[in-house]
Every structure is written in structure tokens, then in C-alpha cells.
Amino acid sequence: MGRKSRSENLLNNLPQLQNLIKRDPHSYQEEFVQQLSHFEASLAIFELKPDEEAKEFGELINFLSQVAKCYPKKSTRFPKQLIDLLQKHYPVLNGDLRKAIVQALILLRSRGVVSNLRVMPLFFTLFRCRDKGLRKLLYTHIINDVKLANKGKHRNHKLNKALQGFMYTMITAADAQDKHGEGALAAKKSLDVCVELYRKNIWTDAKAVNVVAQACFSPITKVMMTAVQFFLNPQKRSGDNDESGSEAENDGSTKKKFVNIQMIQHQSNVNKKTKYRTRVMSRVARAHRREQAKKLGQLPASDEEDDDDEVTGGKKKKKNAGKPIVNFDVLSLIHDPQGFVEKLFARVHSSATSTKRGGNTVDRFEVRLVLLKLISRLIGHHQLQLMAFYPFLQRYLQPHQVDVTQILAVLATGTHAFTPPDVLQPLIRAIADNFVADHCSPEVMCAGLNTIRAIATRQPLSVDPDLLNDLVLYRKHKDKGVMMAARSLLALYREVNPEMLHRRDRGREATIGLISGTTDKTLLGFGASRAAEGVDGVELLERYEEKAQPAVVEDNEDEWAQWEVASSGDESEVGSESEWVSAGNGADEDTGDICLQSSSSEDSDDEGEEDLDSECDDDDELVTGSEDDGDEEEEDDNDDDDETEVSVSVPAAVASGSTKPAEKRRIDMTRFLTNEDFDRIDRLKKRQKSASQKPQAKKQKADDGYSDSDSDDMQVDDGDNSGSGSSGEEDESKDYVDDWDILGDYHSRRRRRKATYEERTSTIMAGREGREKFGSSKAKREKEGRSLSNKEKRKTKDYKMIAHKRSVVTKGKRSLVQKRRDLRKHIVKQKKNGF
């Protein structure tokens, strides 16, 4: 009887039986078969009333899922029975039981009992359930399962293709178009899965991107906004607060918490300064900068895995540190971008012109603005033609318009080299009339000028010469933001087309080039382009390498090779990039000698533009002067310039003209250029451009201690993103314009960081230097290292504290004669002191 009772108790105690089966599966095979038969019988009964709670049935499912791996042959039908049960009755099942069945399937999938192709379609279907906890569980499992299936270099193309097709079906299904239906929930979560897998660098192909692109046409605003925000910022997480978020980063055990950087900074300023709090503040600031870099797309998503590896020892990080990350632009992967843009614009136009009468759905202005951002990005990226886009924006070009800076940025982003100037000129005129006028505030004028500069950077023909010369006059405005914006517009047209400017505004370099006919800054007509000859800027790289690596001439080389090396310049005077960029070479044809001239920093500063107004007189002299006077000025300049001339003798064979030197081949024709070479070319071009526009650039670099040795590791500072003082460099390097580019100098003022306590204290102490005589007596005592004397302390005491003192008591008991004597002594003493 005892053995039988223990057997019955074992069948009823499922956790104990589960423990014993895992230890010895062969000995408890009969018990497992009995429990499996009991499950099948209970399943048949449960299907009669599937809406029951059935708590014992859920415990039995949990037990079988835990031990099914120990008996693979006998439990072959168990996963299929669970899948069929969910597919038939998932809408009416009890929430706890449904979640228990899903957890059982996830456990079976993790142990390899069932394939992911069998359970994934079911899991996507379960997104239709109005159970937030269940959707969160399914979302996390799908992300992790697909991530494991595509781990490392291996890609499970069969699974990816099947899931992407299933997602496309769910997003475009008929029931997914009703925002009150269950299909909308499934479409939203399916879209979140696809976006998160792209962010984790798993699904980066064109099919996944176009699945998300189809969601941009969803009538449900939440689904549409998720897809549009993905194209605007692929690395940013979805803004869904209910399910998508930091819980998908891990399997639920460790979650990243939201950190309020402003609150921590305030606490660090208020609380006592300790080393621990300083370390915490630096760690939080470093994490905040990393998150900002991820949002801006400057940090790849795979670096998050490296963060996890740092916690576990960093072994995986060292293993994958050198692997390149291939992440194509999502805008480049869209099929038929022209049709995509036309559909989006049709939705924006219909929402702006229709009303809510008759049950029509009208998007809010904020939603339409986000759609306009995506449309402008696509137009600028693919150089599309959407003529109705520009007149549509003209109605919003008013200073009192809500989010007008974003609208101006949208207009500038949607402009490219193939946009007809006739379409843009009315908008430029409207901006000039509404924003750049004397009755407008300086902030509005700065925004208008920056917008015109951003548009002119992409299409210089959009501004007519009369309007341009009127706008350039604002370079003398009293407000700094307006002045810098006008100067940036002037610098832009000095670079691209100086002929549109007045003669006094062209600048020295452009004026000399136009007079001599050697300038290449003539603006081509609409649609025309120059044929490229080699890599742009490769001559800068060649000159830089010649300066950085002096050539060594062997003794057995001929005379011509020696002359080549000597004529390449004085190798001993190798300077930084900014020094040799502006260096000039000249040849004296009469004497047959090569004169190498290297201008010093003082000469280059004198030749630069010290001010936009002072150089106008020089330009007038250059233009109105005769040819003879010009020759005399050149001779005088050559005599006055403080330059170093190095004369090198030409071989006799060359002087006689018997041998001609072979034409030197460009460096891009002799070897392949690497990514480092292209980066250096970009830096050299920017440095050359800044050297020609900012005469103090060289002096500032020299003061900073910059040398040629660290030029490879140094990144050229593009300046503030405000772009108020730039000449369009930021707009050329970016595919789009932000609203802070439009605000210009005012954006940097708004974002000015509040000074810390240490900075304020240091400023106060610096202002007190040399003002010791104006200090208080207390400060003087503290500086001398002493405190108040007892006599000085008695003067500030209350009378009740000193009323019992002997000196006070005897003073009140004095006679009239004694009081008269004391008064006379006091008068004599005062007279001696000069009172």
C-alpha cells in the first residue's frame, strides 16, 4: 500500500515528477506516457468549452513542455496540438492559459523540439490579441530568435524571406486598414519587429526596407508615423511606449533604464561634490553622448553588442573589432522612389485641402510636416522631379507660421541641381519679402538669409543677380546673426559664380581670375556639368605627399632626375597642410631658373581678406588699372614681398632644348586610392577653402601648435552646425538641412550651456585680481590669517552681555569731576588725531 500511494502522489506532484524525469528519463517513462494520455483527454474536453480558465490544464502543458525533450519520439504530436489549439481558439482563450501555451511553445522552440518556421506565423497572428503582456513577450522572442538564426556571418535566407513575406501580408491586409480592428495591432507590432531587426543590422536588405515603405501608406496614423520616422532616422528606436522600446534589447532580465541627464546635472550641482558623484556624472554623460550618436546614425547599431561584451570581459568585442559594417542608406533601397514620393505628396495635399465633413480622415499639421520632411529627403537624395511640391510650400512661408524653421529646412532639403530655377525663384522672392526686410526681427532675417543660402548652395541659379546684391548689403547689419548669414551668402557666390556680384563684392581672388581669364568659377547653365578628369582634389594629395615624404635621390641617377627632385621645392621647409596649401610656384623663363616661392604666414595674412569692405578698394584698383600699371605693381610687389627664393640650375641638356621632360602622371593613375586618401583629400580641400576665405586661419593653427605630424589623426572642424558663418560647407556635406541650420547663430545662443559652479567661481576670482585695496576688512583679515581681537569683539556685543563687567559698573559710578576730566582727555586726544 505504501508503494502504491507514493506512485499516486508522484503523479499528482508534477514538479517532483519533472525533477525525477530530468534526472532519469528511462525509469519514469511510464509516468510520462500516463501524463501525455491525460493531456490528450483533457484537450478533447477543453475544446468543448475553450473559454474556461482550466488552471490544471495549463500546469499540465507546462510540465509536458519541460520534459518533452527527454522523449522526442513519444512527444512528436504535442507541439502540433498546442499550435492547433492556439490557431483555433486564441481569441476566446483565457489570458493566463493562452500565455502559458505560448511560453510552452517558446520553450520547445528554444530546445529545438519545434522549428521556427512552424511557430513564427502563429506568433505573428497572436499579435492580434488585445493582451499587452502577451504582445511584449512575443515581440521579445521574435527579435531574439531571428537574431540567433542570423548570428555572425551566417544568414538564414529561407527564414528571413518567409517572415518578410508574412509581414508584408499583415501590413497590407484589409483588416489592417481599420484602426479599431485587431489587424491594426498586428500590423503595428510586425512593423516594429522589422524596424528593430534593421536597427540591429540583421535585416538590411531592400526587401525589408520596402516592407516598411508599404506601411507609409497605411491609413492608421500610428503605423504610418512609425514607418516615416524609420526613414528619417533609421537608428532611432520606435516611439511606441507600450511595447517597443528598451525591453527588446535583452531577453527581459536586464533592461536599460531611462536616464534624465538634466536631472543628474542638477543633482551634481546641488549636492556635495565627491569623487564618486563625479565618476557617476562622467559615466552618465558618456552614455548620453553615445545615445545621441546612435540617434544621429553616427554610431552603428552593432556597437550595442560590443557594450554587452564589455560587461562580460570584452572577448567578443576583440574578436569582431575589425569587421566592417555595411549599412546602406535606407533611402537608396526604396523601389520606385518617384512613385513613392508622388503617393506621399498626394496624401499630404489631400489632407491640406480637404475637411472632416462626411467622415473624411484628415491628418494633423504635425503629421503632414513629418511627411513633408520625408518627401524632401527623397527628392534631394534621388534628385526627383515633383513640380507641385514647391508651390505647395509657398503658402507656409510666413514668419508667424507654426514650425516655420522646419518648413524652410524642408524647402532647402528638397532642392537639388536639377530643380528648375524658374520654380524656385518665386519662393526665393517670397522668403526675401517676408523674412529679409527691415521691419522683421533679426532672428527672422537670419532664418531667411540662411534659407536662401542653403537653397543657393544646391541650385545657384535660383537667385537672380539683383536680389542677390540687395541681400549682400545686409553684411553690415548691426546684428551678428544677420551679418554672418549675409557674409556666408556672399562667400558662397564668390566661390560658385562671382560674376553675379558687383565688382566691389567679388573679392580679390575672383577678380584676378576674371581679369586673367584663368578662373574656373563660371557657373554653367541649368542641367550642364563639367566632365571630370580624374579624382577631384588629387593634386592636393600629391603635393601633400611630396612635402611629407622627401624623395631620396641615388648617386647613380642621371642629371635629369636630380633636376626633378630639386625643382619639386625646398624639402627642408615641410610644414602643415595649411602652410603649403597657399604656397605658390613660379618660373623665370628668361634666365632658365626655377624660382620656388613659399609665402610666410605674415604674407598670407596680408594677402587674405581682412574685411569685406576694405578689400573693395583693392578690387577697384585691380579692375580700373591699366596693363602697364599692373606690370609695375607686380614688380613692386615682388620687390616688397618678404619671400624666400631658391634658384636651381637647369641641366645643359634641358637649357638647350634637346630633351623634353616626360609629362608626370597623376597619382590616381599610378595606384589605387584608399579610404584614408579620400578622407585626407576632403580635409585638404576644406583647409584650402578656409585658408582662402579666412586669412587668420593659418595664424590660429600655428598658435594652437598644430604640426604636420598629427595631420593624419586630426579631423577638420567643420564649425558649428548653425552654419551662420559658413559658406555652404555643411549643406554640401549633408543630404538634408535641419531647423538649427536655418536658425543660424540664434540656435547656438539658445543651446548655450549654463556655466558650472567651478566655471563661475573661476570667473569671479579672475575678476578680483588686482583689486585687493577695494576688498572688505574681513577679506583682508582672512588673507593675513588672523581674526578679530577681543577689543573689536566687545564693540559688537549686546549690552546685557557686558552689563556686569567691572569697567562698565565703575564707569557709571564716576563723580562729576572725574567725568569732566575724562571728557577733557578725550577732546585733547581728538585734536591730536586731527578731528
Side-chain angles (χ1 to χ4, degrees):
M1 292 293 295
R3 182 177 300 178
K4 184 176 181 181
S5 62
R6 286 197 300 272
S7 178
E8 292 177 355
N9 293 334
L10 187 62
L11 293 176
N12 295 328
N13 192 354
L14 294 181
Q16 183 179 2
L17 180 60
Q18 173 184 330
N19 185 24
L20 295 175
I21 289 177
K22 288 183 177 180
R23 290 185 177 184
D24 189 4
H26 182 71
S27 301
Y28 294 92
Q29 185 174 357
E30 295 181 0
E31 284 79 359
F32 174 76
V33 173
Q34 291 180 6
Q35 294 293 340
L36 186 60
S37 301
H38 179 52
F39 165 74
E40 293 177 351
S42 301
L43 178 61
I45 297 173
F46 177 77
E47 287 184 346
L48 298 177
K49 296 185 67 175
D51 55 346
E52 292 183 349
E53 184 176 0
K55 186 175 180 181
E56 295 181 358
F57 184 61
E59 294 176 354
L60 183 59
I61 292 175
N62 184 26
F63 164 75
L64 292 177
S65 63
Q66 292 285 346
V67 299
K69 189 177 181 180
C70 300
Y71 308 99
K73 294 183 179 180
K74 296 184 179 298
S75 59
T76 53
R77 295 187 303 170
F78 177 67
K80 187 177 183 303
Q81 291 172 342
L82 294 180
I83 294 174
D84 294 341
L85 177 61
L86 283 176
Q87 287 178 345
K88 291 180 181 179
H89 307 291
Y90 77 89
V92 296
L93 285 176
N94 181 266
D96 296 336
L97 179 61
R98 183 172 52 201
K99 189 174 182 179
I101 298 174
V102 171
Q103 289 176 341
L105 287 175
I106 292 175
L107 181 61
L108 294 175
R109 169 68 195 102
S110 62
R111 295 184 176 181
V113 179
V114 62
S115 64
N116 48 17
L117 288 176
R118 293 184 61 187
V119 297
M120 283 295 182
L122 173 64
F123 288 165
F124 278 101
T125 305
L126 292 178
F127 277 146
R128 300 172 179 270
C129 300
R130 297 187 179 276
D131 188 349
K132 183 177 178 180
L134 178 64
R135 294 198 302 269
K136 181 178 178 180
L137 175 65
L138 294 171
Y139 176 84
T140 305
H141 169 70
I142 292 173
I143 295 294
N144 294 332
D145 197 9
V146 176
K147 183 178 178 180
L148 291 175
N150 297 271
K151 191 175 183 180
K153 295 182 179 180
H154 172 70
R155 287 291 182 266
N156 192 342
H157 296 288
K158 183 179 180 181
L159 174 64
N160 296 339
K161 187 177 180 180
L163 292 182
Q164 289 171 3
F166 193 77
M167 288 182 182
Y168 181 83
T169 303
M170 295 195 67
I171 292 175
T172 59
D175 56 349
Q177 313 305 318
D178 183 12
K179 62 180 180 180
H180 300 293
E182 298 176 351
L185 293 174
K188 177 63 171 61
K189 294 306 297 181
S190 301
L191 181 61
D192 290 341
V193 169
C194 191
V195 170
E196 185 68 16
L197 289 175
Y198 182 92
R199 193 190 66 83
K200 289 184 174 294
N201 207 28
I202 299 174
W203 284 2
T204 56
D205 55 341
K207 186 174 182 180
V209 172
N210 285 275
V211 169
V212 181
Q214 289 298 321
C216 294
F217 307 119
S218 175
I220 304 174
T221 305
K222 197 171 185 180
V223 177
M224 183 266 295
M225 287 295 292
T226 302
V228 172
Q229 292 291 350
F230 165 74
F231 286 105
L232 293 177
N233 196 348
Q235 299 299 334
K236 184 178 179 180
R237 285 187 179 274
S238 176
D240 189 4
N241 295 326
D242 54 357
E243 292 96 18
S244 63
S246 59
E247 69 270 10
E249 185 68 21
N250 298 312
D251 55 356
S253 59
T254 58
K255 298 182 180 180
K256 290 186 177 180
K257 297 181 179 180
F258 173 74
V259 179
N260 191 343
I261 185 68
Q262 289 81 7
M263 181 62 68
I264 295 179
Q265 287 178 349
H266 174 70
Q267 292 175 356
S268 65
N269 294 332
V270 173
N271 296 334
K272 183 180 179 181
K273 306 297 184 297
T274 60
K275 292 183 178 180
Y276 171 73
R277 286 173 178 163
T278 304
R279 290 197 303 268
V280 170
M281 185 61 201
S282 61
R283 185 163 57 248
V284 170
R286 187 165 56 252
H288 179 70
R289 289 193 301 268
R290 191 175 183 85
E291 289 297 328
Q292 293 297 325
K294 291 176 185 176
K295 291 180 180 179
L296 296 175
Q298 300 173 357
L299 188 67
S302 60
D303 285 355
E304 298 178 2
E305 300 177 0
D306 297 340
D307 296 341
D308 300 336
D309 299 333
E310 290 178 358
V311 179
T312 59
K315 297 181 180 179
K316 184 178 178 182
K317 183 178 180 180
K318 294 180 180 179
K319 181 179 179 182
N320 298 331
K323 291 184 179 180
I325 299 174
V326 180
N327 190 6
F328 297 102
D329 190 359
V330 291
L331 299 180
S332 302
L333 300 178
I334 296 179
H335 299 328
D336 189 16
Q338 181 69 36
F340 182 76
V341 165
E342 291 176 355
K343 291 180 181 178
L344 287 179
F345 182 72
R347 175 170 181 168
V348 174
H349 188 270
S350 62
S351 298
T353 56
S354 60
T355 61
K356 293 184 178 181
R357 296 176 181 176
N360 296 329
T361 302
V362 179
D363 295 329
R364 302 191 310 271
F365 175 75
E366 294 80 5
V367 177
R368 299 200 301 268
L369 183 59
V370 174
L371 288 174
L372 288 174
K373 288 182 180 180
L374 178 57
I375 293 172
S376 64
R377 295 268 185 97
L378 287 167
I379 292 175
H381 185 79
H382 293 279
Q383 295 184 347
L384 304 177
Q385 299 292 334
L386 190 64
M387 297 298 101
F389 173 73
Y390 306 99
F392 177 78
L393 294 177
Q394 189 170 356
R395 69 180 74 179
Y396 301 108
L397 299 180
Q398 296 291 338
H400 56 77
Q401 173 65 40
V402 180
D403 297 328
V404 67
T405 55
Q406 298 186 27
I407 295 174
L408 294 174
V410 166
L411 174 59
T413 304
T415 306
H416 52 84
F418 296 100
T419 304
D422 299 339
V423 179
L424 295 174
Q425 286 177 357
L427 280 80
I428 296 291
R429 176 60 65 178
I431 295 174
D433 294 340
N434 298 332
F435 290 84
V436 190
D438 295 335
H439 64 272
C440 299
S441 63
E443 185 176 3
V444 174
M445 296 174 65
C446 180
L449 288 171
N450 285 329
T451 305
I452 294 174
R453 175 186 52 82
I455 297 174
T457 303
R458 291 160 171 78
Q459 180 52 275
L461 297 172
S462 58
V463 184
D464 58 281
D466 296 335
L467 178 60
L468 175 62
N469 290 288
D470 292 340
L471 296 176
V472 166
L473 296 177
Y474 285 99
R475 70 181 186 273
K476 298 181 181 180
H477 197 272
K478 60 182 180 180
D479 186 77
K480 181 181 178 181
V482 179
M483 176 191 67
M484 297 302 293
R487 287 193 175 191
S488 64
L489 182 63
L490 175 61
L492 171 65
Y493 274 91
R494 282 183 177 179
E495 180 68 24
V496 297
N497 190 14
E499 292 182 350
M500 293 181 64
L501 300 169
H502 284 311
R503 187 176 57 188
R504 62 178 181 272
D505 298 332
R506 293 174 181 173
R508 178 176 302 175
E509 181 183 356
T511 303
I512 295 175
L514 291 175
I515 293 175
S516 60
T518 59
T519 181
D520 57 347
K521 298 180 180 180
T522 303
L523 188 63
L524 299 178
F526 173 65
S529 61
R530 292 186 178 92
E533 297 181 358
V535 179
D536 185 20
V538 72
E539 66 279 356
L540 299 176
L541 177 64
E542 186 174 359
R543 287 158 52 188
Y544 171 77
E545 292 184 351
E546 289 178 358
K547 290 287 184 180
Q549 299 177 359
V552 179
V553 182
E554 301 294 339
D555 296 338
N556 57 358
E557 289 187 354
D558 56 1
E559 191 177 8
W560 174 257
Q562 295 180 2
W563 179 84
E564 253 190 338
V565 175
S567 64
S568 63
D570 189 1
E571 301 294 342
S572 61
E573 298 183 0
V574 179
S576 62
E577 296 174 3
S578 59
E579 293 180 359
W580 60 263
V581 161
S582 59
N585 296 334
D588 191 355
E589 298 178 355
D590 297 335
T591 59
D593 294 338
I594 304 297
C595 298
L596 304 178
Q597 302 175 354
S598 59
S599 301
S600 61
S601 60
E602 297 178 358
D603 298 333
S604 63
D605 291 343
D606 295 337
E607 292 175 359
E609 306 170 297
E610 293 187 0
D611 189 47
L612 292 173
D613 302 327
S614 62
E615 68 183 5
C616 298
D617 299 335
D618 300 335
D619 298 338
D620 295 338
E621 294 177 1
L622 288 172
V623 174
T624 58
S626 60
E627 296 181 357
D628 296 336
D629 296 339
D631 295 341
E632 292 178 0
E633 288 177 1
E634 290 180 358
E635 293 176 1
D636 295 337
D637 293 340
N638 293 333
D639 294 337
D640 296 337
D641 287 344
D642 186 11
E643 297 177 345
T644 304
E645 297 187 358
V646 181
S647 299
V648 181
S649 299
V650 182
V654 180
S656 61
S658 60
T659 305
K660 277 190 175 182
E663 185 179 356
K664 191 174 181 180
R665 303 179 67 185
R666 296 194 309 270
I667 192 173
D668 57 344
M669 299 176 64
T670 58
R671 66 180 178 88
F672 291 104
L673 299 181
T674 61
N675 293 332
E676 291 78 7
D677 295 333
F678 286 107
D679 293 340
R680 185 175 287 111
I681 288 174
D682 293 337
R683 296 201 301 269
L684 293 175
K685 289 169 64 177
K686 290 179 180 179
R687 195 171 294 276
Q688 184 188 36
K689 191 172 184 179
S690 62
S692 62
Q693 295 176 357
K694 300 177 183 178
Q696 300 296 331
K698 179 188 294 185
K699 185 176 181 180
Q700 184 177 1
K701 294 291 189 301
D703 296 339
D704 295 341
Y706 171 68
S707 61
D708 186 76
S709 59
D710 56 358
S711 61
D712 292 341
D713 300 330
M714 179 179 179
Q715 298 292 335
V716 177
D717 187 10
D718 292 338
D720 189 9
N721 286 337
S722 60
S724 59
S726 64
S727 58
E729 293 178 12
E730 295 84 354
D731 297 317
E732 292 176 353
S733 60
K734 292 194 305 184
D735 289 336
Y736 60 93
V737 180
D738 293 320
D739 53 349
W740 52 78
D741 295 327
I742 301 300
L743 286 174
D745 183 66
Y746 292 94
H747 175 70
S748 60
R749 296 182 192 177
R750 290 180 178 179
R751 297 185 60 189
R752 190 170 297 166
R753 179 181 57 85
K754 183 181 179 181
T756 60
Y757 176 76
E758 291 78 8
E759 294 173 350
R760 295 196 300 269
T761 304
S762 61
T763 304
I764 294 172
M765 298 306 296
R768 291 178 179 177
E769 295 179 357
R771 297 178 57 87
E772 290 80 6
K773 64 178 181 179
F774 301 104
S776 62
S777 58
K778 180 180 178 181
K780 294 178 181 179
R781 290 196 306 268
E782 292 178 353
K783 188 175 182 179
E784 296 175 358
R786 68 178 184 86
S787 61
L788 292 172
S789 63
N790 293 335
K791 186 177 180 180
E792 292 173 337
K793 291 179 181 178
R794 282 199 302 267
K795 294 180 180 179
T796 58
K797 285 186 178 180
D798 188 74
Y799 177 75
K800 294 180 180 180
M801 298 177 63
I802 60 174
H804 63 281
K805 296 289 184 179
R806 181 181 300 176
S807 59
V808 177
V809 174
T810 56
K811 188 176 181 180
K813 295 181 179 180
R814 292 179 301 172
S815 62
L816 293 176
V817 176
Q818 187 66 29
K819 290 182 180 180
R820 187 174 63 241
R821 290 176 183 175
D822 293 341
L823 180 59
R824 288 178 179 176
K825 289 181 181 179
H826 174 71
I827 293 173
V828 172
K829 185 177 180 180
Q830 291 292 93
K831 288 181 179 180
K832 289 181 179 179
N833 293 335
F835 293 99

